Amino acid sequence: MSSRGTSWLAWSLAALSVVMFVGSAALWVLAHSTHVPRSLDADLTTGGLLGQALFLVFPLVGALIASRRPENPIGWLCLVDGLLWTTTDMLDYHSVYGMASPGSVPFLVGLAGVNHWLWVPTVGLLGTYVFLLFPDGRLPSRRWRPLAWLSGVVIASESLGLMLSPGPLDVPRGIRNPFGLEAAPWVAVAAYATLPLLPLCMLASVLSLVMRYRRSRGDVRQQIKWIAVAASLVALTYLIAIVALFIHPSEIWFAAGLPLWLDFIEYAALLSITSVPIAIGFAVLKYRLYDLDLIINRTLVYGLLTALLAAGYVATIMAFQGIGSLVYQVPFRTLFGQESALATVAATLAMAALFNPLRRRIQSFIDRRFYRRKYDAIKTLEAFSVKLRDATDQDALSDDLVGVVRETVQPAHVSIWLRPDEAPRRDAQPP
């Protein structure tokens, strides 16, 4: 296809994803206007619709990559995966509204049966082939071809197995799979028995990206850093969400009446997912590629600074309240009760005074610990600049300059060219 044709196709698929989301929002509104069964309340929260809106980043970034780099399958994978996500979400709301208002939507059972297995390629494409082919759309080496074929076979066979598995559907509940082979219950057993192969393929794909990073240099290594940082952010937020679920085992995600802090964790986890396609877009298009090191550095510095200032603020308030209780013989008031205005003001002023000194110390520690080569280069240049002010010997200065360049830049070859002194001009003699 021509570049114009591929661009038209990419943005058409992205527009179709947006249409799917608009349809989901309309079904969500219609379902809220009816009497929704209690068992379906968890499927109609604002968080679910917000999550679907966030997933529109996948098709939009995919269309941007596919229109500019049509030869790279990463853009098409993001585009198709985003379209599948919006389709499954729309089919969920289609089933909920159909159960809440019987006869209001067509093909209720048939589309629910399709949605029963559609999540497999949706998760499989993102979790296997995006990591396996990132960033240039090619496998790391021929040795990874069996994994690529195995991932495709697992996704296809698992989708077919779930489609033909007899039994009740997840949404809508209480309805059996219309495509299930009721006379062959072993199909469901086989489908769920082979389901662990999918996460194993995903882990192997992540391992291929790690191996690619270890063997790469330059731009490729920087590209992999982008998706690694985004994946780490998603993993961290969802780890916090899992811990929160253990703290409140009676609560479930997207359920009404969650505490405020659980709502915050829920939306943070959903928001973190958008970092993956955004990182893919920056990496593949090589837009501001090397700004990532600065982002990582600032994240480490200000994240640690925030944690230390918050801990210092709490400790300062508790110390002032403890002193007040000893000196004035008043009952000790905890942080979560009524606080002393004097303690709050003192703690705020103390943290404000510590902000810049603490930030400089943390920045120095991060540079020494994680950016040692850059830190040593800066110190070497600072020492050379001090020495340069007092240098008078040209030969010694040239040797020092060559040494500094070799230590900081580490080039393959260093040479110095000095412009020769110009011959003094002679006044023109009159004729």
Side-chain angles (χ1 to χ4, degrees), residues 19 28 32 50 180 194 249 275 278 363:
V19 170
W28 184 84
H32 269 283
L50 174 63
T194 57
S275 64
I278 292 174
Q363 182 70 68

Side-chain angles (χ1 to χ4, degrees), residues 2 29 33 84 111 153 168 180 195 198-199 246 255 277 284 287 331 348 357 359 387 404:
S2 63
V29 173
S33 64
L84 289 175
L111 292 178
V153 170
L195 188 59
L198 184 59
F246 278 106
V284 174
Y287 176 73
T348 303
R359 182 185 60 82
K387 187 176 182 180
V404 169

Side-chain angles (χ1 to χ4, degrees), residues 134-136 212-213 216-227 282-292:
F134 187 84
D136 55 4
R212 191 195 293 261
Y213 176 80
S216 62
R217 294 294 183 272
D219 284 352
V220 176
R221 174 165 286 204
Q222 202 72 11
Q223 287 173 308
I224 298 175
K225 280 183 181 180
W226 275 94
I227 195 172
F282 272 80
V284 174
L285 298 177
K286 297 183 180 180
Y287 176 73
R288 301 175 66 89
L289 187 61
Y290 284 85
D291 284 356
L292 180 64

Side-chain angles (χ1 to χ4, degrees), residues 113-131:
V114 172
N115 199 30
H116 182 62
W117 57 268
L118 201 59
W119 66 269
V120 177
T122 305
V123 175
L125 289 177
L126 179 62
T128 56
Y129 288 105
V130 170
F131 290 103

Side-chain angles (χ1 to χ4, degrees), residues 60-70 72 74-75 78 280-281 284-285:
L60 295 177
V61 172
L64 184 64
I65 297 174
S67 61
R68 297 187 178 186
R69 302 283 192 273
N72 193 332
I74 296 296
C78 291
I280 291 175
V284 174
L285 298 177

